[in-house]
Amino acid sequence: MDAAPRMRVNGVAAAAVGAADRGLAYGDGLFETVRFVGAGAPLWARHMERLARGCARLGLPPPDPALLLREARAVGEGLDAAVVRITLTRGEGPRGYAPPAAPSPTRIVAAFPPPPPRAQDYRDGVRVRTCGLRLAEQPRLAGLKHLNRLEQVLARAEWNDPAIAEGLLLDAAGRVVSATAANLFAVLDGELVTPALDRCGVAGVARAEIMAVRAVREAELKPDRLAAASELFLSSSVRGILPVRAWDARACAVGPVTRALQRHWRELGFPMEAG
Amino acid sequence: MDAAPRMRVNGVAAAAVGAADRGLAYGDGLFETVRFVGAGAPLWARHMERLARGCARLGLPPPDPALLLREARAVGEGLDAAVVRITLTRGEGPRGYAPPAAPSPTRIVAAFPPPPPRAQDYRDGVRVRTCGLRLAEQPRLAGLKHLNRLEQVLARAEWNDPAIAEGLLLDAAGRVVSATAANLFAVLDGELVTPALDRCGVAGVARAEIMAVRAVREAELKPDRLAAASELFLSSSVRGILPVRAWDARACAVGPVTRALQRHWRELGFPMEAG
């Protein structure tokens, strides 16, 4: 048994939530997955910014970031590294879609071990495939990390070959959007570009960090355009900067922009695997 | 306190589910809301058919309908009438979208009091509005009653005037799809029509019952076409057949097709309010 309880629900060590919670009933809520290194989370402020934006868009009272940080540190206590998932729902309420006028949100903070380090993935790159599922366009929810994730579940269920790290998702119009659990960047004619996320997709905090430190253009990217990229990489708050070495049958080179961002990730304090 | 526990989780009287349940984490599951009259549920078989279809499409092991019926009767014991919500999730699993190869689904069966009877709604009809939110088109999920319901929550949050019973939802192309928690039917040139649900929307069991007993054409319905309807009504497994007497600023008459289906609902065994 762990010494520290690894999950808190509304501040109390617990492993369960009310079965009438709207997070379960309707996916009515948001989440963040935060990579901790010891007691620190280099992208913490960006997670809190996205969570606040999501609360504003869903009409949820925003949580206190200082409280969340205390709880995240408590559930991760004693771990060298952890992924802390923060889930915020609209709480319990009467049956029916109508949100309660004065919701009492449910706050779940849970620590998990980080994915096993695979240094070769960061050095040589990973393989990705193109998913068959097409993301639906819903501007009202685009960019948010909300709890309605059946599209990602179905897309991720399309393959189980462990040699394939991720799946690229297109929208119904055939534009590349992201991977199932990471954002996508490409270097095209020397320019760093990433898909716009105003119709669908999750605007990752790692993506926001990259856009804060590099010139990045948001663009519509069809697969044939992406095929001309000199570099392709994935960004994720949990996994950092992952070069893509193969996309379907196409081989990709790992290039200098990817390496520079991996260095930036190490300078932020993220560990070894990121480079 | 009630004599009978009104909720069971995996067969055991309980009010909580594991906070790591994929139903909460990702909305990875399905639900049914079943109207019981005493120990009977006139549309039970249709609920079980839809649940089985949803399980097949999401790759969930289907539950045993006989077990669900026993549990539904147990949570509703002693109630003259109840709405029983059955929620089925992919259960707990490791963090990440990839569904476990051998999931242990979570089964939640809970009884609620039915909505208060409002005889005048069934006699005179209800008012509905047009929602601003547009439903996204996702053929992989269309028709299912899955747990990803943020669109319905946001649409239902658009009004709080209790005089308005429902909101009509359009898709991004401007086609009418349904109400937030009911299907929509119209009589057009003497023909009963309802929107096709192959792109978005929930294929209700009340809708299925109507289509089994009447000739119904599934059609693309734009608002200007709907405005020519001689009758408009909503169908819901919980609320039955609700005539629409006003849609935005437009008044609607309650007609013979609506009345015939209300009679059919009473013949099925549903109560008083349905006519």
Side-chain angles (χ1 to χ4, degrees):
Chain A
M1 286 291 287
D2 281 334
R6 296 283 171 233
M7 188 181 295
R8 291 191 179 198
V9 177
N10 293 329
V12 177
V17 297
D21 196 280
R22 292 174 61 93
L24 176 65
Y26 306 128
D28 191 4
L30 301 161
F31 70 112
E32 297 286 334
T33 48
V34 187
R35 183 81 189 246
F36 272 77
V37 186
L43 298 177
W44 179 259
R46 296 195 186 283
H47 284 287
M48 292 302 102
E49 285 162 18
R50 180 174 60 184
L51 188 58
R53 274 198 309 276
C55 286
R57 283 174 63 186
L58 295 188
L60 280 170
D64 174 9
L67 173 69
L68 289 179
L69 186 57
R70 282 198 301 277
E71 294 182 354
R73 284 176 170 155
V75 295
E77 197 187 320
L79 300 177
D80 292 337
V83 173
V84 174
R85 178 173 161 136
I86 297 170
T87 306
L88 187 76
T89 82
R90 209 182 301 268
E92 301 206 10
R95 204 186 58 75
Y97 294 128
S104 295
T106 300
R107 191 173 77 248
I108 306 164
V109 181
F112 299 87
R118 289 168 52 102
Q120 74 187 47
D121 287 351
Y122 293 89
R123 187 186 65 221
D124 303 335
V126 298
R127 284 179 58 198
V128 303
R129 68 190 291 283
T130 307
C131 291
L133 179 133
R134 296 286 174 266
L135 291 172
E137 299 180 23
Q138 179 47 272
R140 291 286 302 277
L141 296 173
L144 302 187
K145 200 166 173 87
H146 55 68
L147 295 175
N148 280 200
R149 293 292 156 213
L150 268 173
E151 289 184 322
Q152 282 73 21
V153 171
L154 291 180
R156 185 58 189 80
E158 290 183 17
W159 83 97
N160 55 25
D161 177 354
I164 297 176
E166 260 291 8
L168 300 193
L169 288 164
L170 280 57
D171 65 19
R175 293 174 289 241
V176 180
V177 178
S178 65
T180 67
N183 289 112
L184 176 72
F185 287 80
V187 179
L188 278 165
D189 302 327
E191 186 184 34
L192 185 56
V193 298
T194 192
L197 300 175
D198 51 345
R199 299 184 186 92
C200 50
V202 176
V205 297
R207 177 180 185 270
E209 174 68 19
I210 293 167
M211 295 177 82
V213 298
R214 303 281 301 208
V216 180
R217 186 168 60 87
E218 289 185 292
E220 292 203 355
L221 280 178
K222 294 275 179 95
D224 58 352
R225 179 73 180 124
L226 199 63
S230 59
E231 299 181 42
L232 277 183
F233 64 90
L234 305 176
S235 68
S236 151
S237 61
V238 170
R239 292 176 290 172
I241 307 295
L242 271 173
V244 173
R245 69 175 169 83
W247 163 36
D248 294 333
R250 189 176 294 107
C252 309
V254 184
V257 176
T258 309
R259 293 302 184 207
L261 283 164
Q262 289 185 324
R263 279 194 301 277
H264 176 67
W265 240 247
R266 281 194 300 272
E267 287 160 10
L268 286 171
F270 287 108
M272 51 303 151
E273 319 95 279
Chain B
M1 288 291 288
D2 280 336
R6 294 283 173 233
M7 189 182 294
R8 293 193 177 193
V9 178
N10 292 330
V12 177
V17 298
D21 196 280
R22 293 174 61 94
L24 176 64
Y26 306 126
D28 191 5
L30 300 160
F31 70 112
E32 296 287 334
T33 48
V34 186
R35 184 82 189 243
F36 271 77
V37 185
L43 298 177
W44 179 259
R46 297 195 185 283
H47 284 287
M48 292 301 103
E49 284 161 19
R50 180 172 62 182
L51 189 58
R53 274 198 308 274
C55 286
R57 283 174 63 187
L58 296 189
L60 280 170
D64 173 11
L67 174 67
L68 289 179
L69 186 57
R70 283 197 302 276
E71 294 182 353
R73 285 176 169 155
V75 295
E77 196 187 321
L79 299 178
D80 290 338
V83 174
V84 174
R85 177 173 161 136
I86 298 170
T87 306
L88 188 75
T89 83
R90 208 181 301 268
E92 301 206 8
R95 205 186 57 77
Y97 295 129
S104 295
T106 300
R107 190 174 78 247
I108 306 164
V109 181
F112 299 86
R118 289 169 52 102
Q120 75 185 46
D121 287 352
Y122 293 89
R123 187 186 64 222
D124 303 334
V126 297
R127 284 179 57 198
V128 303
R129 67 190 292 283
T130 307
C131 291
L133 180 134
R134 296 286 174 269
L135 291 173
E137 298 180 22
Q138 178 48 272
R140 291 285 302 277
L141 297 172
L144 301 188
K145 200 167 173 87
H146 56 67
L147 296 174
N148 280 200
R149 291 293 156 213
L150 268 173
E151 290 184 320
Q152 282 73 23
V153 170
L154 291 180
R156 185 59 190 80
E158 289 184 18
W159 82 96
N160 54 26
D161 177 354
I164 296 176
E166 258 292 8
L168 300 193
L169 288 163
L170 280 57
D171 66 17
R175 293 174 287 241
V176 181
V177 178
S178 65
T180 67
N183 288 113
L184 176 72
F185 287 80
V187 179
L188 278 164
D189 301 328
E191 184 183 37
L192 185 56
V193 297
T194 192
L197 300 175
D198 50 347
R199 299 183 185 93
C200 49
V202 177
V205 296
R207 178 181 184 269
E209 174 68 20
I210 294 167
M211 295 177 82
V213 298
R214 303 280 302 208
V216 180
R217 185 167 61 87
E218 289 186 293
E220 291 203 358
L221 279 179
K222 294 274 178 96
D224 59 350
R225 179 73 179 124
L226 199 63
S230 60
E231 300 182 41
L232 277 183
F233 64 89
L234 305 176
S235 68
S236 152
S237 59
V238 170
R239 292 177 290 173
I241 306 295
L242 271 172
V244 173
R245 69 174 167 85
W247 163 35
D248 293 334
R250 189 177 292 108
C252 309
V254 183
V257 177
T258 309
R259 294 301 184 208
L261 283 164
Q262 289 185 323
R263 279 194 301 277
H264 176 68
W265 241 247
R266 282 194 299 274
E267 287 161 9
L268 286 172
F270 286 108
M272 53 302 152
E273 319 97 277

